[in-house]
Amino acid sequence: MNAPASPIGIFDSGYGGLTVMKKILEALPRYDYIYLGDNARAPYGPRSFETVHAYTLQAVTWLFDRGCRLVILACNTASAKALRTIQQKDLPRLDPGRRVLGVIRPVTELAGTFTETQHIGVLGTVGTVESQSYAIEIGKQFPGITVTQEACPMWVPLVECGECESSGADYFVHKHISNLLAKDPKIDALILGCTHYPLLIRKIMQFLPPGIRVVAQGEIVSESLAGYLSRHPEIETHVSSSGIRRYFTTDSPELFNKQSRIFMGIPIEAERVRLP
Ligand code: DGL
């Protein structure tokens, strides 16, 4: 007898993973999805390794309990600070037949195709930058590439407060792009290593000198997921395909429904959940 079908779980600290989910839905609309945003405890960006791991593990366990056999950590901070421990230590204990994937590896695997100068810039939260995950992953696969990072702690609040087009955004976007390019003027590719940053793309382009390629991760992650599912029929055959989407938040569903429009552009009806 076949095992019961299950949706793909998509987890983020809050709303940001919806930018990744949007691209996944465009590329792979036939599958069922459950989105979980831990809005009550967001942002994860400034939190410690221990805390991000503990919160992310609770979320993954909750998604497993809802039948997900495959969970995508659509949050850079969770991918940077919790994914490896979950894959190596927690999954063998919880259920070795399930999978948890992140959003950093699919991007770093392609790093060699982004740059001609062999100099890449990465923008992310404080947590993602401190973890060095992008630099480590790119270094493993492309040792000749120099990676320079810049943490942009004000960019997530700017997006969440609807300030993407304000003079405040001018100030903080200009500041961090100039800081990054002052550290390495040879950068010719810029990775947006945070779920929220694609929403600042207009401002980023405004302050970026010509000739620098901007890499957002949504499409790369969705293509990588499509490839993963075609290479892993033992996972793909269990994923249910009724086109169902459910959204859960650990904070107010009303607020989630309102804010999620910024990230998805479509109305969403979220349900409330409590993580331990
Ligand atoms: N989703 C997070 C990320 O991509 C940004 C928001 C947060 O700090 O929780 O890193």
Side-chain angles (χ1 to χ4, degrees), residues 5-56:
S6 70
I8 294 173
I10 299 186
F11 170 68
D12 182 58
S13 55
Y15 307 111
L18 293 171
T19 61
V20 177
M21 179 156 176
K22 188 176 175 189
K23 296 294 178 189
I24 292 178
L25 291 181
E26 281 168 19
L28 299 165
R30 64 184 176 282
Y31 298 120
D32 296 345
Y33 295 92
I34 295 186
Y35 183 92
L36 172 60
D38 191 8
N39 297 82
R41 302 187 292 194
Y44 279 15
R47 295 192 186 276
S48 68
F49 271 91
E50 294 72 24
T51 303
V52 173
H53 170 247
Y55 288 178
T56 305

Side-chain angles (χ1 to χ4, degrees), residues 12-13 16 42-46 75-77 125 128 156 193-196:
D12 182 58
S13 55
Y44 279 15
C75 174
N76 284 270
T77 311
T125 64
T128 298
V156 165
C194 174
T195 50
H196 287 57

Side-chain angles (χ1 to χ4, degrees), residues 26 28 40 51 63-64 76 102 116 131 149 152-153 165 175 177 182 196-197 200 213 215 225 260 264:
E26 281 168 19
L28 299 165
T51 303
L63 286 163
F64 282 176
N76 284 270
E116 283 178 17
S131 76
Q149 305 182 92
C152 312
E165 298 299 328
K175 173 181 166 171
I177 286 184
H196 287 57
Y197 298 176
L200 284 165
R213 175 176 175 181
V215 180
L225 177 59
S260 60
M264 285 285 270

